[in-house]
């Protein structure tokens, strides 16, 4: 476990560590990230204490698991959601159930609570069957000024309780995340399908799909297709009913959003 005062990106730091042959399983967090990253190169920035940002790096037989990184993202989301809900319930604080918005977001009531970024690389110290996998997590603790539509954990934290801290939330989610990733390597995503469906924020809702999203905000672009979200399969791929067929999408091929009235 490494805790740093500042780092460019916890994901980048662990990726660089592996390229040097250092592949000891590592949990890395920092008070401040100056170059945090999200999906498709988006930046993740917040003031110290406003969010929990950390990464888990470890060797996995990723390519031998059906669905690979796409399915792993859903397993990670499920572990984080379960841990957050369990913590609030144990403390006796009512909070909305944590949902998962395919492929890598955590939601509270259709507002983004956090995100997941998974990266993988070969490393000289690993066997040919293993990849060094880095799982980056970002969770909003307090309101984010430039993201007014986002959710945060503090919103359902009692006013008379001590302020919620990144270390406290880290203790909630990190142990369950590690256990979930190790289980995933052994069993894949299939046994998690029912639990995921219970938290699926898109299931049964009309969605828009962008197969070649540009750099501009998706709201300013015409969607490539539209349809009705039908959950995911055992490989973690998104199922969408479009016209007279159900299409299957992997996370690298499409961006998806709920349709708005």
């Amino acid at each position: 476990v490494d805790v740093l005062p500042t780092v460019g990106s916890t994901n980048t730091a662990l990726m660089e560590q592996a390229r040097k042959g250092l592949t000891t399983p590592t949990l890395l967090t920092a008070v401040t990230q100056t170059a945090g990253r999200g999906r498709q190169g988006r930046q993740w920035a917040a003031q110290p204490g406003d969010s929990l940002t950390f990464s888990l790096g470890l060797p996995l037989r990723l390519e031998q698991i059906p669905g690979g990184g796409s399915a792993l993202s859903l397993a990670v989301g499920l572990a984080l959601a379960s841990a957050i809900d369990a913590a609030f319930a144990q403390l006796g604080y009512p909070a909305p159930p944590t949902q998962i918005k395919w492929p890598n977001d955590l939601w509270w009531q259709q507002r983004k609570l956090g995100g997941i970024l998974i990266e993988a690389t070969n490393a000289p110290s690993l066997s040919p069957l293993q990849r060094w996998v880095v799982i980056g997590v970002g969770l909003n603790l307090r309101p984010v000024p430039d993201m007014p539509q986002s959710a945060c954990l503090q919103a359902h934290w009692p006013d008379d309780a001590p302020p919620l801290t990144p270390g406290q939330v880290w203790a909630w989610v990190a142990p369950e995340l590690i256990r979930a990733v190790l289980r995933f390597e052994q069993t894949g995503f299939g046994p998690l399908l029912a639990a995921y469906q219970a938290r699926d924020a898109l299931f049964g809702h009309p969605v828009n799909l962008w197969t070649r999203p540009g750099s501009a905000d998706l709201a300013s672009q015409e969607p490539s297709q539209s349809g009705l979200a039908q959950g995911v399969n055992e490989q973690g791929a998104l199922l969408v009913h479009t016209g007279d067929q159900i299409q299957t999408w992997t996370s690298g091929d499409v961006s998806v959003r709920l349709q708005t009235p």
Side-chain angles (χ1 to χ4, degrees):
V1 176
D2 287 336
V3 181
L4 303 177
T6 184
V7 71
S9 159
T10 54
N11 261 41
T12 298
L14 290 184
M15 292 289 281
E16 292 175 350
Q17 171 182 310
R19 295 187 181 106
K20 298 175 183 177
L22 304 175
T23 52
T24 300
T26 302
L27 196 63
L28 173 64
T29 191
V31 177
T32 302
Q33 286 197 85
T34 59
R37 294 179 292 115
R39 187 167 177 250
Q40 298 178 342
R42 299 185 183 97
Q43 289 190 336
W44 180 290
Q47 295 300 312
D50 285 352
S51 64
L52 167 64
T53 53
F54 71 94
S55 298
L56 170 65
L58 74 171
L60 290 176
R61 295 176 293 104
L62 191 62
E63 294 179 358
Q64 281 71 52
I65 305 169
S70 297
L72 176 59
S73 180
L74 304 187
V76 167
L78 184 59
L80 297 172
S82 300
I84 291 169
D85 288 1
F88 271 82
Q90 184 175 10
L91 292 168
Y93 302 153
T98 307
Q99 293 184 295
I100 306 166
K101 186 262 184 185
W102 187 93
N104 61 347
D105 286 343
L106 296 177
W107 273 12
W108 266 0
Q109 298 173 321
Q110 298 188 0
R111 299 171 66 194
K112 184 172 179 177
L113 178 64
I116 300 158
L117 176 64
I118 294 179
E119 300 178 283
T121 186
N122 295 319
S125 59
L126 299 181
S127 75
L129 296 179
Q130 290 180 309
R131 304 282 301 281
W132 175 252
V133 179
V134 177
I135 301 163
V137 176
L139 294 171
N140 297 328
L141 270 63
R142 291 189 265 279
V144 183
D146 57 350
M147 297 174 62
Q149 299 304 314
S150 63
C152 69
L153 294 173
Q154 191 71 44
H156 294 275
W157 196 250
D159 294 335
D160 58 353
L164 192 59
T165 67
Q168 185 175 1
V169 179
W170 202 26
W172 294 352
V173 300
E176 179 55 30
L177 171 62
I178 294 169
R179 286 191 290 265
V181 171
L182 296 178
R183 285 196 303 266
F184 174 84
E185 185 179 33
Q186 298 300 318
T187 63
F189 181 68
L192 304 175
L193 189 57
Y196 177 85
Q197 288 176 342
R199 295 184 181 272
D200 188 346
L202 299 180
F203 183 81
H205 292 286
V207 295
N208 290 328
L209 304 167
W210 287 263
T211 55
R212 294 179 180 176
S215 58
D217 184 79
L218 293 183
S220 65
Q221 305 176 43
E222 287 295 322
S224 307
Q225 295 188 49
S226 299
L228 193 68
Q230 298 290 293
V232 301
N233 62 18
E234 292 190 353
Q235 287 74 47
L238 178 68
L239 306 176
V240 180
H241 190 274
T242 57
D244 59 351
Q245 61 179 332
I246 292 181
Q247 296 190 15
T248 303
W249 299 98
T250 58
S251 60
D253 295 334
V254 69
S255 290
V256 56
R257 283 189 179 180
L258 288 173
Q259 291 182 20
T260 55

